[in-house]
Amino acid sequence: MPLMDISKHIDPFIDANVSTKIFTIPNVISFIRLCLIPIAFTLLLKGEDLASGIIFGVAAATDFLDGQIARRTNTVTRLGQMLDPAVDRFLMIFGVIGLLIVGRLPLWIVLFVFIRDILLLAGGAFLKLSVNRRVPVVYPGKVATTFLFIGFCALIVNVPVCQGLGIVSASWLPGFSYGPYGWGIWFVYIGLVIALCTTVYYLKEGAYQFFDAKGKLPAGDQ
């Protein structure tokens, strides 16, 4: 399940019928994906862009496999409900930090991703603990994650390198500024815009759920 699936981070035991088994096919897939992350990270730092990009792409593209197999074969486990989103988190962290280190991603994008995740996770935890409610996951959140992963993968491979549009002189806006940039940055920008919109939705819906549970909403809003 993708990055924006907040329910799995906040309430991993929402299904009382989940299994406590450890060695299941979905869990093995999740574990393999987890092992691929440090390999891709190391290859990127060593300058092996193509190999790193392929491994990152495999880890990202197989994101849906473990969850789909678990649901279709009735092998949903508690470990899987925690491991699957954790792998997505680590994959996202690798993407932004690795690309920042090699100079292909500006710092503000890294901060945006981290602050957004912390904000949503903290907000979701507060909502769950205070009023025992959660905000349902919305599909655009998954779309945002898909665009970000495609963009990161393209920036890791770093081929082809294009010339900036020169619209602005700010170097922290690759693609819009002068100088070379990886074409994957456009996918990242699209993902960030969608992620920003979903963040506004989650915060607004979270506030509604909180005040509704507390009985503090105006009569016309209930």
Side-chain angles (χ1 to χ4, degrees), residues 55-128:
I55 294 176
F56 181 92
V58 170
T62 53
D63 176 37
F64 71 97
L65 274 182
D66 42 13
Q68 286 294 323
I69 293 176
R71 287 190 292 270
R72 294 178 182 275
T73 60
N74 295 318
T75 54
V76 177
T77 66
R78 293 188 176 184
L79 175 62
Q81 288 183 319
M82 292 185 292
L83 183 60
D84 183 27
V87 172
D88 294 334
R89 297 264 53 73
F90 286 124
L91 192 61
M92 186 66 68
I93 290 172
F94 154 73
V96 294
I97 292 182
L99 289 170
L100 175 66
I101 292 175
V102 297
R104 298 173 197 167
L105 205 64
L107 178 60
W108 70 268
I109 293 180
V110 178
L111 294 177
F112 177 94
V113 171
F114 274 90
I115 293 174
R116 179 186 184 275
D117 277 1
I118 293 173
L119 180 63
L120 292 183
L121 289 173
F126 172 78
L127 190 65
K128 179 63 181 178

Side-chain angles (χ1 to χ4, degrees), residues 3-217:
L3 166 67
M4 312 303 172
D5 198 340
I6 305 302
S7 64
K8 296 188 302 183
H9 292 277
I10 303 305
D11 192 16
F13 306 109
I14 54 176
D15 187 348
N17 297 319
V18 297
S19 170
T20 57
K21 291 182 179 179
I22 295 178
F23 296 104
T24 64
I25 293 179
N27 287 351
V28 171
I29 293 175
S30 294
F31 181 73
I32 292 175
R33 293 179 62 228
L34 182 63
C35 292
L36 291 178
I37 296 174
I39 297 175
F41 186 83
T42 302
L43 289 172
L44 176 62
L45 297 186
K46 288 184 175 181
E48 301 290 341
D49 294 342
L50 180 59
S52 178
I54 291 175
I55 294 176
F56 181 92
V58 170
T62 53
D63 176 37
F64 71 97
L65 274 182
D66 42 13
Q68 286 294 323
I69 293 176
R71 287 190 292 270
R72 294 178 182 275
T73 60
N74 295 318
T75 54
V76 177
T77 66
R78 293 188 176 184
L79 175 62
Q81 288 183 319
M82 292 185 292
L83 183 60
D84 183 27
V87 172
D88 294 334
R89 297 264 53 73
F90 286 124
L91 192 61
M92 186 66 68
I93 290 172
F94 154 73
V96 294
I97 292 182
L99 289 170
L100 175 66
I101 292 175
V102 297
R104 298 173 197 167
L105 205 64
L107 178 60
W108 70 268
I109 293 180
V110 178
L111 294 177
F112 177 94
V113 171
F114 274 90
I115 293 174
R116 179 186 184 275
D117 277 1
I118 293 173
L119 180 63
L120 292 183
L121 289 173
F126 172 78
L127 190 65
K128 179 63 181 178
L129 294 174
S130 60
V131 295
N132 196 31
R133 290 195 183 185
R134 63 184 180 88
V135 178
V137 177
V138 293
Y139 182 73
K142 300 180 180 182
V143 175
T145 301
T146 300
F147 272 102
L148 289 173
F149 279 158
I150 292 175
F152 293 159
C153 187
L155 289 174
I156 292 172
V157 176
N158 202 35
V159 175
V161 175
C162 308
Q163 189 64 28
L165 299 177
I167 298 176
V168 297
S169 59
S171 60
W172 49 271
L173 283 175
F176 291 104
S177 60
Y178 298 95
Y181 72 96
W183 62 272
I185 195 66
W186 299 116
F187 283 88
V188 174
Y189 285 150
I190 294 173
L192 292 177
V193 170
I194 301 174
L196 179 61
C197 294
T198 57
T199 301
V200 173
Y201 165 81
Y202 283 130
L203 294 177
K204 181 179 178 181
E205 184 64 20
Y208 176 88
Q209 293 286 353
F210 177 80
F211 289 114
D212 179 54
K214 294 290 186 179
K216 296 182 179 180
L217 286 178

